[in-house]
């Protein structure tokens, strides 16, 4: 009898403990950002900012060129993710639905590309970009980020395309659609969750990337938010209030996007993996 | 595998034509249709070859050069043959870092897979409200950008004002009150591991949960009829069904953890005394830190080779599977 009570309680109790463990760092970031300085550096941790202040956010936002960096970050991320989505959509359709010579090699190339240690190849790219006289421009960044997220996008989208039953496409074609029409009318809408999931992963990757910006774009007008955030700590010393405010501002767009897309995004990998 | 090029899906409707329905008139696999897959993969292949291939090639060429700040600024090319490789392969430091990277990767991947699978199966058992609660926690951790998460963990584990030390002190572990987490190799790795596991588990857990929902209920019913208990049901139904998922996820995690740079670098820049350098950080420090760019390039090539060796098993498996498919 006792054991069954325990058996009923433990999953719930574990879930609550795990929830707290996963949420706490996020909570601590936001709450620190709103605390007065004396509460941040206090002997006893202040668990809740009783009288929230916005001074840390003001200090972070008033840092030089903040809004330029915001614009650059959004430009680079949105363009790179959109480009990789379009390119990947074509490729994933080909590998999921058609048999052709070189298909296997293409998949292998994509898997290998996913393994590229981009961070340590930044110098090679720097030399290429320097010789092309394209330093301090957003274009080389967009190009490299597109390729950075492309393999994952192709391989994941392939799973989504393969998960759409071939019969749907075939019956559309029996009804008189061409292959292209069948794709646009029948398959594309069903791929919406896959496109959302992969764009989310791409968004996170590009939004975060900074070694390339750091090396290619010394000019502050062509940098992005991660550079600002990593430079922030050294610029402000141990100003944890401002640092956590800056981190919050940096994290918020992703958190919002994730909350919106989360339901669609989940299960993306599995539809590809389980199919095999 | 047939060497002949054909559109697989096109054979579907074509085979029905014999049954006398009124199919749309279809051309055979003409030239355009045969070229279609190549046109479709062309953009992806082109940008990958152009940007990744070219950068990789450049990186490979740099690895055979003596490239310091002087050569870089003056656009000089000094070939040194395989010197960079010989130096690395002959140094105990390189092998030390390699061993550390492999152990670090394995430890993290095992933790992530074990905890992720546990939480994924837990999600499947929970009621709607608790499942939603836990999912929210997981999604928030998952969505935190790496750069922001790393700053937050520096703050959590701060020596003087970090909440971790406060709590440990309050729990009676008074020696931890002013503990410097980044002063020792193991404690630094501990912080990095907690950060990486915290951020990686949600991906595994949520996807595993999503995968369990696709397991046909009949399989469990059949297992239950055969008198299988919960554990037997896991080993005979859940696990075999999810095996492709486990393999794919483990492969991705191995790549991601082995390559992870931001977390390892940002927590303590590979310190103390370069004791927490993993291969990507080592390549970065040797290349950029010591301004010996050719050496950095050589280490990055070696990193790729080691990563390929670590994932060779999975790559082979996928290639074999591709042959059976379609």
């Amino acid at each position: 009898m006792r054991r069954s009570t325990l058996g009923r309680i433990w999953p719930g109790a574990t879930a609550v403990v795990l929830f707290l463990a996963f949420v706490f760092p996020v909570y601590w970031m936001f709450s620190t950002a709103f605390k007065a300085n004396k509460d941040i550096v206090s002997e006893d941790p202040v668990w809740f900012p009783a009288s929230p202040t916005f001074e840390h956010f003001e200090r972070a936002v008033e840092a030089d060129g903040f809004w330029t960096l915001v614009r650059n970050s959004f430009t680079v991320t949105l363009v790179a993710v959109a480009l990789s989505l379009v390119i990947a959509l074509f490729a994933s359709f080909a590998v999921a639905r058609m048999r052709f010579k070189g298909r296997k090699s293409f998949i292998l190339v994509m898997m290998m590309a996913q393994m590229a240690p981009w961070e340590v190849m930044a110098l090679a790219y720097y030399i290429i970009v320097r010789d092309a006289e394209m330093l301090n421009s957003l274009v080389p960044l967009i190009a490299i980020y597109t390729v950075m997220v492309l393999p994952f996008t192709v391989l994941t989208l392939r799973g989504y395309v393969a998960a759409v039953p071939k019969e749907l496409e075939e019956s559309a074609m029996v009804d008189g659609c061409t292959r292209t029409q069948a794709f646009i009318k029948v398959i594309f809408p069903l791929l919406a969750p896959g496109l959302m999931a992969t764009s989310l992963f791409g968004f996170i990757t590009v939004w975060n990337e900074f070694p390339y910006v750091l090396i290619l774009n010394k000019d502050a007008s062509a940098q992005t938010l991660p550079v600002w955030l990593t430079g922030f700590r050294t610029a402000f010393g141990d100003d944890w209030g401002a640092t956590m405010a800056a981190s919050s501002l940096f994290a918020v767009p992703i958190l919002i996007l994730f909350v919106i897309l989360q339901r669609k995004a989940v299960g993306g990998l599995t539809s590809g993996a389980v199919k095999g | 595998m047939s060497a002949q090029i054909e559109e697989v899906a096109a054979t579907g409707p074509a085979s029905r034509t014999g049954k006398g329905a009124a199919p749309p008139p279809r051309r055979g696999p003409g030239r355009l249709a045969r070229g279609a897959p190549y046109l479709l993969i062309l953009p992806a292949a082109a940008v990958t070859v152009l940007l990744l291939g070219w950068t990789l090639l450049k990186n490979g060429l740099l690895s055979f050069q003596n490239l310091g700040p002087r050569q870089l600024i003056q656009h000089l090319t000094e070939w040194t043959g395989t010197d960079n490789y010989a130096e690395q392969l002959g140094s105990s430091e390189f092998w030390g870092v390699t061993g550390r990277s492999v152990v670090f990767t394995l430890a993290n991947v095992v933790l992530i897979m074990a905890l992720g699978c546990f939480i994924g199966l837990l999600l499947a058992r929970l009621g709607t409200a608790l499942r939603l609660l836990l999912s929210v926690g997981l999604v928030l951790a998952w969505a935190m950008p790496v750069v922001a998460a790393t700053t937050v963990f520096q703050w959590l584990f701060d020596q003087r004002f970090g909440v971790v030390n406060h709590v440990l002190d309050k729990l009676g572990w008074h020696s931890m009150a002013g503990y410097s987490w980044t002063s020792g190799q193991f404690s630094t790795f501990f912080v990095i591991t907690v950060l990486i596991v915290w951020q990686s588990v949600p991906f595994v857990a949520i996807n595993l949960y999503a995968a369990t929902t696709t397991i046909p209920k009949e399989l469990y019913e059949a297992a239950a009829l055969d008198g299988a208990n919960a554990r037997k049901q896991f080993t005979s139904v859940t696990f075999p069904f999810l095996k492709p998922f486990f393999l794919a996820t483990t492969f991705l995690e191995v790549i991601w953890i082995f390559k992870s740079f931001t977390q390892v670098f940002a927590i303590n820049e590979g310190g103390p005394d370069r004791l927490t350098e993993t291969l990507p950080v080592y390549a970065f420090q040797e290349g950029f830190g010591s301004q010996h760019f050719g050496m950095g390039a050589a280490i990055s090539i070696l990193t790729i080779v080691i990563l390929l060796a670590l994932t060779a098993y999975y790559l082979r498996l996928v290639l074999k599977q591709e042959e059976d498919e379609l």
Side-chain angles (χ1 to χ4, degrees):
Chain A
M1 221 49 218
R2 240 194 102 179
R3 218 181 137 195
S4 68
T5 322
L6 198 72
R8 259 181 287 140
I9 287 175
W10 82 259
T14 318
V16 171
V17 171
L18 285 167
F19 165 76
L20 293 174
F22 278 99
V23 154
F24 185 74
V26 184
Y27 168 74
W28 205 239
M29 172 181 79
F30 280 114
S31 64
T32 304
F34 287 106
K35 281 178 204 164
N37 266 323
K38 67 168 175 41
D39 287 347
I40 294 175
V41 292
S42 89
E43 280 306 306
D44 282 302
V46 176
W47 298 100
F48 185 77
S51 48
T53 168
F54 286 92
E55 57 168 314
H56 305 303
F57 285 98
E58 283 166 20
R59 214 158 49 254
V61 168
E62 280 160 12
D64 280 344
F66 171 76
W67 293 107
T68 313
L69 300 187
V70 171
R71 206 182 51 223
N72 287 348
S73 265
F74 273 107
T75 309
V76 165
T77 310
L78 293 176
V79 176
V81 171
L83 276 176
S84 69
L85 269 190
V86 173
I87 297 172
L89 191 57
F90 292 141
S92 59
F93 185 74
V95 289
R97 279 289 202 262
M98 298 164 174
R99 175 181 288 181
F100 55 96
K101 222 176 175 174
R103 178 176 164 276
K104 242 169 74 172
S105 321
F106 179 73
I107 291 172
L108 191 65
V109 166
M110 284 295 128
M111 297 192 83
M112 305 272 234
Q114 195 165 48
M115 296 159 70
W118 288 103
E119 282 86 358
V120 289
M121 298 204 309
L123 181 82
Y125 193 60
Y126 167 80
I127 293 179
I128 293 171
V129 173
R130 182 193 68 176
D131 293 348
E133 294 181 1
M134 297 267 285
L135 292 175
N136 290 316
S137 151
L138 295 183
V139 176
L141 284 185
I142 290 172
I144 204 84
Y145 294 161
T146 304
V147 181
M148 241 181 235
V149 297
L150 185 65
F152 185 83
T153 315
V154 171
L155 295 172
T156 312
L157 269 184
R158 173 175 84 121
Y160 281 97
V161 176
V164 177
K166 268 180 201 150
E167 292 74 28
L168 284 178
E169 201 181 344
E170 285 163 12
S171 57
M173 278 153 73
V174 169
D175 290 345
C177 284
T178 64
R179 190 118 198 242
T180 318
Q181 283 171 333
F183 178 78
I184 294 171
K185 287 189 188 156
V186 180
I187 304 190
F188 190 74
L190 290 171
L191 288 181
L195 292 169
M196 289 180 192
T198 44
S199 59
L200 193 57
F201 294 127
F203 200 100
I204 293 181
T205 310
V206 180
W207 188 252
N208 263 309
E209 208 287 333
F210 73 99
Y212 277 77
V213 195
L214 202 61
I215 289 164
L216 297 180
N217 294 354
K218 295 266 187 276
D219 212 30
S221 67
Q223 290 190 329
T224 56
L225 284 171
V227 180
W228 168 74
L229 185 55
T230 45
F232 208 81
R233 276 208 61 201
T234 37
F236 286 74
D238 276 343
D239 183 348
W240 283 112
T243 310
M244 286 304 107
S247 303
S248 305
L249 287 174
F250 182 71
V252 156
I254 299 272
L255 289 176
I256 292 175
L257 192 70
F258 219 111
V259 169
I260 298 171
L261 296 186
Q262 186 267 126
R263 295 182 72 101
K264 309 268 180 198
V266 164
L269 181 88
T270 40
S271 60
V274 171
K275 149 193 90 92
Chain B
M1 196 174 112
S2 147
Q4 208 196 346
I5 301 157
E6 54 172 343
E7 278 187 270
V8 175
T11 59
S15 64
R16 276 180 217 160
T17 52
K19 289 183 184 154
R26 280 198 61 88
R27 282 159 287 155
R31 249 178 120 163
L32 188 71
R34 257 183 297 161
Y38 298 104
L39 279 177
L40 289 173
I41 64 163
L42 182 69
V47 292
T48 306
V49 168
L50 214 70
L51 281 146
L52 175 60
W54 191 6
T55 311
L56 203 57
L57 183 72
K58 189 86 187 170
N59 195 64
L61 292 174
L62 295 179
S63 71
F64 294 106
Q65 294 173 19
N66 172 29
L67 184 64
R70 194 174 70 87
Q71 289 85 350
L72 187 69
I73 291 163
Q74 299 182 5
H75 292 243
L76 296 175
T77 310
E78 282 176 23
W79 296 102
T80 52
T82 53
D83 283 7
N84 291 332
Y85 289 98
E87 190 178 316
Q88 286 306 324
L89 294 175
S91 84
S92 57
E93 200 187 356
F94 171 78
W95 293 109
V97 174
T98 304
R100 185 189 300 149
S101 298
V102 172
V103 172
F104 169 76
T105 305
L106 291 181
N108 273 281
V109 171
V110 167
L111 280 172
I112 291 164
M113 289 308 293
L115 199 57
C117 290
F118 170 74
I119 298 177
L121 294 172
L122 180 68
L123 280 172
R125 275 193 65 168
L126 290 172
T128 319
L130 279 170
R131 182 188 303 143
L132 188 69
L133 181 80
L134 183 51
S135 304
V136 167
L138 292 168
V139 164
L140 284 174
W142 186 7
M144 273 285 273
V146 180
V147 180
T150 310
T151 2
V152 174
F153 269 68
Q154 286 175 319
W155 168 226
L156 290 172
F157 285 90
D158 184 63
Q159 184 176 359
R160 283 184 64 203
F161 304 114
V163 69
V164 174
N165 282 354
H166 273 297
V167 169
L168 289 173
D169 182 28
K170 282 282 170 304
L171 289 176
W173 207 337
H174 299 299
S175 61
M176 297 303 284
Y179 185 72
S180 165
W181 288 90
T182 51
S183 66
Q185 181 184 24
F186 284 105
S187 54
T188 307
F189 263 129
F190 178 79
V191 176
I192 297 169
T193 301
V194 173
L195 166 60
I196 289 183
V197 170
W198 174 76
Q199 278 225 285
S200 312
V201 158
F203 178 79
V204 179
I206 294 179
N207 276 300
L208 181 90
Y209 166 66
T212 58
T213 60
T214 65
I215 302 177
K217 289 275 176 295
E218 297 79 44
L219 290 178
Y220 286 110
E221 281 160 18
L225 277 179
D226 290 346
N229 56 17
R231 167 189 260 170
K232 191 83 182 56
Q233 286 187 10
F234 177 79
T235 52
S236 65
V237 180
T238 314
F239 186 76
F241 194 87
L242 296 179
K243 207 174 157 204
F245 167 83
F246 286 121
L247 282 170
T249 315
T250 311
F251 167 75
L252 278 174
E253 292 295 344
V254 167
I255 299 177
W256 287 339
I257 305 301
F258 193 78
K259 294 202 309 183
S260 60
F261 175 83
T262 308
Q263 300 95 329
V264 185
F265 188 79
I267 290 291
N268 200 14
E269 301 197 355
D273 297 327
R274 311 190 61 176
L275 284 172
T276 56
E277 282 181 4
T278 52
L279 272 170
V281 178
Y282 177 66
F284 188 86
Q285 295 286 30
E286 289 289 304
F288 290 90
S290 324
Q291 304 236 319
H292 197 159
F293 305 112
M295 192 65 86
I299 300 168
S300 67
I301 297 284
L302 293 171
T303 306
I304 298 172
V305 173
I306 293 165
L307 190 54
L308 280 176
L310 282 180
T311 51
Y313 170 74
Y314 182 75
L315 289 176
R316 253 190 59 193
L317 210 69
V318 168
L319 283 187
K320 260 172 93 176
Q321 183 195 310
E322 291 297 333
E323 252 166 48
D324 306 334
E325 236 180 274
L326 283 175

